[in-house]
């Protein structure tokens, strides 16, 4: 269906742009991954950009959903609401070097768009937003290098600054300037010229700007003075001597740092200034984006522990991701990805805490961590399926609310030639039961049936604390009440965690069972596991109990009965 054009930039246009940008990066993801050679040839720039924009789009959709559901003030989101959501979503979901820079570009735009209380902005506002975006992204990079996404962003802003007309004209001219700058990147960066490609991050930004043009015109930019950016993806390789040398050491030459470290950081501006200096001395590819107390930190280092410790000294780091550039990967092999035989079958599971992630990993599963209030997006699940590197994949969402997300990820993976079976597990304890009977050596269909049967035979429950007053199947609960949920519905309302857990367990075992699984969250009271184990021993003969530590999993306690 053709996109309805927007004549000015308001909240709806921001929503439309995020959706179109996500689709554009989805179409270009594999192409961008394939030309990723700088600063590290790890073949994931397209995927990282996609995940970053997916997080931004999800945040914007949440703002609109809040208004539509009546949980926000009457009316519709303002331009400031949508712009702030876009920037915040990109910040917390930014992946990799290019994703982190894109997050700052979107934040820079949002800072201009959110000024004042105007419900929309015109061409002049868009020109200013593009200019501020390019400038703020450049400032976020410790050592800016020409021939990268920074050059493409600056060119887009320069072109837009001289454009006369409405928002559509400004967006189109910015896109054309970006296309021209992208085509010039091999002449600015030696590693691109040697590989015969343009900059992958810049290619991704061109896709995002093309989506901005489509937002205002209703049509994807195609034949124009700039041509389609896809035509610039690969260029003829040239000798390195014909190109100006780049400032940074070429990470693809095998001499780059061993680790990529990324984390979110709560810290004040002064602490972040000190952090920049320390991390700059530890490694390269340093990008620190954000503000107002929340930052996204990205750096390549040899000492990952020191990079994390620097964050601890600056404030509170969390969502820490450390990737090792091994000796056999593209980081150390000049961009040549060594062939690796696919496994026949793998299990990919969403898990709610670090403890369970370790348990699932030990059992051979590829895991996706779902932190409280931060459910994974479909792109993260697709990436996990790819990371499993198998011909056949069993996907365990372990959450009823993730069924649509998991289904979308499964469809995407199938379109890439991977055979995927989605088992609709509603809890991590059902996933444990399914994983316990997993046998990769038997036929795929038989394995899936067995795992599905084991999951379906496992009743599940959780004990949590109510955050607000609410109507439930068991009556009205107040904030602070202890809730016992059985198979997703509130069945018990109590004042004591252990007593509520005992009541829940008794109700579940009233229908029979042979094995009780308890998964303790970090905030579960001391002694609750021992009390429940004793209860099972005393009241239910021939029923075994196993206990796991789930870590920061949201619920105080997960219970499974098989």
């Amino acid at each position: 269906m053709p996109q309805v054009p927007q004549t000015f930039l308001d909240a709806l246009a921001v929503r439309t742009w995020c959706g179109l940008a996500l689709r554009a990066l989805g179409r270009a993801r594999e192409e961008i991954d394939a030309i990723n050679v700088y600063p590290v040839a790890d073949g994931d720039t397209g995927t990282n950009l996609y995940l970053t924009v997916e997080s931004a789009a999800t945040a914007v959709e949440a703002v609109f959903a809040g208004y539509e559901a009546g949980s926000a003030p009457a009316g519709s989101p303002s331009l400031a609401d949508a712009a702030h959501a876009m920037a915040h979503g990109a910040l917390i979901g930014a992946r990799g070097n290019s994703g982190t820079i894109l997050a700052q570009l979107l934040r820079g735009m949002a800072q201009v768009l959110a000024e004042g209380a105007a419900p929309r902005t015109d061409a002049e506002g868009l020109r200013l937003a593009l200019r501020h975006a390019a400038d703020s992204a450049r400032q976020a990079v410790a050592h800016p290098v020409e021939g990268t996404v920074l050059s493409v962003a600056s060119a887009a802003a320069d072109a837009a600054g001289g454009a006369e007309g409405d928002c559509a004209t400004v967006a189109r001219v910015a896109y054309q300037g970006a296309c021209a700058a992208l085509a010039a990147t091999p002449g600015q960066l030696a590693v691109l010229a040697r590989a015969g490609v343009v900059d992958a991050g810049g290619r991704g930004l061109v896709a995002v700007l093309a989506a901005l043009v489509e937002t205002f015109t209703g049509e994807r930019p195609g034949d124009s003075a700039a041509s389609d950016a896809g035509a610039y993806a690969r260029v003829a390789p040239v000798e390195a001597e014909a190109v100006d040398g780049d400032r940074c050491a070429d990470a693809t030459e095998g001499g780059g740092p061993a680790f990529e470290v990324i984390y979110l950081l709560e810290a004040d501006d002064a602490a972040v200034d000190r952090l920049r200096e320390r991390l700059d001395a530890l490694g390269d590819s340093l990008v620190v984006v954000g503000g107002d107390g929340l930052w996204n930190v990205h750096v390549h280092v040899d000492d990952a522990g020191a990079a994390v410790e620097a964050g601890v000294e600056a404030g509170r780091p969390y969502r820490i991701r450390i990737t090792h550039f091994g000796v056999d990967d593209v980081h150390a092999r000049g961009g040549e990805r060594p062939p690796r035989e696919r496994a026949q079958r793998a299990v990919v599971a969403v898990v709610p805490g670090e403890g369970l992630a370790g348990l699932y990993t030990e059992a051979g599963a590829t895991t996706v961590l779902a932190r409280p209030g931060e459910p994974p997006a479909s792109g993260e699940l697709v990436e996990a399926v790819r990371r499993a590197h198998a011909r056949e994949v069993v996907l365990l969402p372990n959450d009823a609310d993730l069924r649509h997300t998991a289904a979308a990820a499964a469809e995407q993976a199938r379109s890439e030639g991977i055979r995927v079976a989605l088992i609709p597990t509603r809890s991590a304890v059902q996933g444990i039961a399914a994983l316990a009977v997993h046998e990769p050596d038997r036929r795929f269909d038989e394995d899936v049936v067995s795992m599905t049967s084991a999951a379906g035979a496992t009743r599940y429950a959780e004990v949590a604390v109510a955050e607000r007053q609410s109507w439930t199947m068991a009556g009205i609960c107040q904030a602070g009440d202890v809730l016992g949920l059985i198979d997703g519905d509130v069945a018990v309302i109590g004042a004591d965690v252990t007593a509520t857990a005992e009541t829940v367990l008794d109700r579940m075992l009233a229908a029979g069972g042979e094995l009780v699984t308890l998964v303790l969250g970090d905030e579960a009271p001391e002694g609750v596991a021992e009390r429940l184990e004793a209860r099972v021993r005393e009241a239910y003969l021939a029923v075994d109990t196993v206990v796991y530590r789930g870590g920061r999993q949201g619920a105080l306690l997960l219970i499974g009965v098989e």
Side-chain angles (χ1 to χ4, degrees):
M1 180 181 295
Q3 179 63 45
V4 177
Q6 301 285 322
T7 56
F8 42 76
L9 187 55
D10 60 1
L12 181 59
V14 171
R15 182 189 200 182
T16 301
W17 180 32
C18 287
L20 291 173
L22 186 62
R23 288 179 225 163
L25 287 170
R27 292 190 298 269
R29 182 190 58 77
E30 290 185 358
E31 171 202 325
I32 297 171
D33 282 346
I35 64 172
N36 173 202
V37 298
Y38 183 86
V40 175
D42 48 358
D44 63 357
T45 291
T47 299
N48 287 337
L49 290 170
Y50 179 89
L51 293 174
T52 302
V53 172
E54 183 178 49
S55 183
T58 299
V60 173
E61 288 300 323
V63 169
F64 274 85
Y67 276 88
E68 291 163 2
S71 58
S76 59
S78 66
L79 174 57
D81 291 333
H84 280 310
M86 173 183 71
H88 182 72
L91 177 67
I92 65 174
R95 299 297 187 91
N97 187 71
S98 293
T100 307
I101 293 173
L102 178 60
Q104 187 66 8
L105 286 166
L106 296 179
R107 176 180 171 79
M109 290 193 70
Q111 288 175 322
V112 173
L113 298 178
E115 287 180 351
R120 62 191 188 187
T121 193
D122 56 12
E124 178 61 19
L126 180 57
R127 280 192 289 267
L128 292 174
L130 290 169
R131 178 76 272 160
H132 186 61
D135 293 344
S136 60
R138 190 169 286 270
Q139 292 167 5
V141 178
H143 301 286
V145 176
E146 298 307 324
T148 65
V149 63
L150 297 176
S151 302
V152 177
S154 293
D158 291 344
E164 298 291 338
D166 56 11
C167 284
T169 301
V170 171
R172 186 181 296 108
V173 171
Y175 165 75
Q176 292 170 350
C179 286
L182 179 66
T185 56
Q188 297 171 291
L189 205 52
V191 62
L192 301 179
R194 287 195 295 270
V197 298
V198 296
D199 179 66
R203 171 66 182 92
L205 179 57
V206 165
V208 172
L209 290 172
L212 185 62
V213 176
E214 187 176 355
T215 299
F216 292 121
T217 66
E219 298 178 355
R220 289 188 210 165
D223 296 329
S224 68
S227 186
D228 182 8
Y232 295 132
R234 291 193 177 274
V235 296
V238 300
E239 294 298 324
E241 291 77 14
V243 181
D244 292 337
D246 52 273
R247 177 219 173 271
C248 290
D250 181 4
T252 64
E253 295 295 324
F259 297 96
E260 177 184 60
V261 178
I262 305 174
Y263 50 80
L264 292 178
L265 177 71
E266 293 178 356
D268 59 36
D269 291 4
V272 170
D273 288 341
R274 293 191 296 272
L275 176 66
R276 290 179 197 270
E277 294 180 5
R278 182 164 178 193
L279 292 180
D280 194 26
L282 287 175
D284 61 30
S285 296
L286 173 60
V287 185
V288 181
V289 305
D292 301 320
L294 180 61
W295 309 81
N296 190 308
V297 179
H298 170 281
V299 67
H300 294 173
V301 293
D302 282 319
D303 189 344
V308 175
E309 288 172 8
V312 173
E313 292 177 7
R316 187 178 80 88
Y318 61 103
R319 293 185 67 173
I320 300 167
R321 294 192 296 271
I322 300 175
T323 303
H324 179 231
F325 298 126
V327 294
D328 291 328
D329 71 12
V330 293
H331 180 271
R333 292 175 59 89
E336 297 176 6
R337 189 180 296 275
R340 179 162 67 96
E341 183 65 25
R342 283 185 178 273
Q344 181 59 34
R345 190 173 309 156
V347 175
V348 172
V350 179
V351 292
E354 294 85 351
L356 280 179
L359 174 68
Y360 272 75
T361 301
E362 287 176 8
T366 297
T367 61
V368 178
L369 191 60
R371 295 173 177 82
E374 299 176 12
S378 63
E380 293 179 79
L381 300 188
V382 173
E383 181 58 24
V385 171
R386 296 186 189 117
R387 194 168 70 246
H389 203 64
R391 298 181 182 88
E392 301 167 338
V393 171
V394 179
L395 181 58
L396 306 175
N398 291 341
D399 186 338
D401 291 336
L402 287 178
R403 61 189 184 277
H404 297 307
T405 300
E411 281 301 312
Q412 174 62 35
R414 291 179 188 123
S415 72
E416 297 175 11
I418 303 171
R419 189 179 185 188
V420 180
L422 171 60
I423 298 179
T425 48
R426 294 173 170 81
S427 170
V429 292
Q430 287 190 323
I432 291 172
L435 200 55
V437 301
H438 169 55
E439 291 185 17
D441 292 333
R442 65 183 164 196
R443 290 179 58 247
F444 184 62
D445 292 340
E446 292 176 356
D447 196 27
V448 171
V449 168
S450 178
M451 294 176 72
T452 302
S453 177
T458 302
R459 298 188 299 284
Y460 63 97
E462 68 177 77
V463 177
V465 176
E467 296 180 356
R468 63 183 71 87
Q469 183 187 64
S470 180
W471 289 88
T472 75
M473 297 287 288
I476 301 175
C477 71
Q478 304 295 328
D481 283 348
V482 180
L483 306 180
L485 293 86
I486 300 177
D487 294 335
D489 293 322
V490 176
V492 181
I493 300 174
D496 179 76
V497 173
T498 302
T500 302
E502 281 189 325
T503 302
V504 168
L505 188 56
D506 285 340
R507 291 195 184 186
M508 296 178 75
L509 286 172
E514 299 175 354
L515 177 66
V516 172
T517 300
L518 304 176
V519 183
L520 301 177
D522 279 346
E523 298 181 5
E526 195 72 28
V528 65
E530 291 79 3
R531 179 83 170 268
L532 294 176
E533 285 183 289
R535 175 68 179 167
V536 172
R537 282 196 305 271
E538 295 166 2
Y540 304 96
L541 298 177
V543 177
D544 295 322
T545 305
V546 293
V547 181
Y548 302 110
R549 294 281 174 180
R552 194 167 68 93
Q553 63 184 20
L556 298 174
L557 176 69
L558 301 178
I559 303 174
V561 174
E562 301 176 46

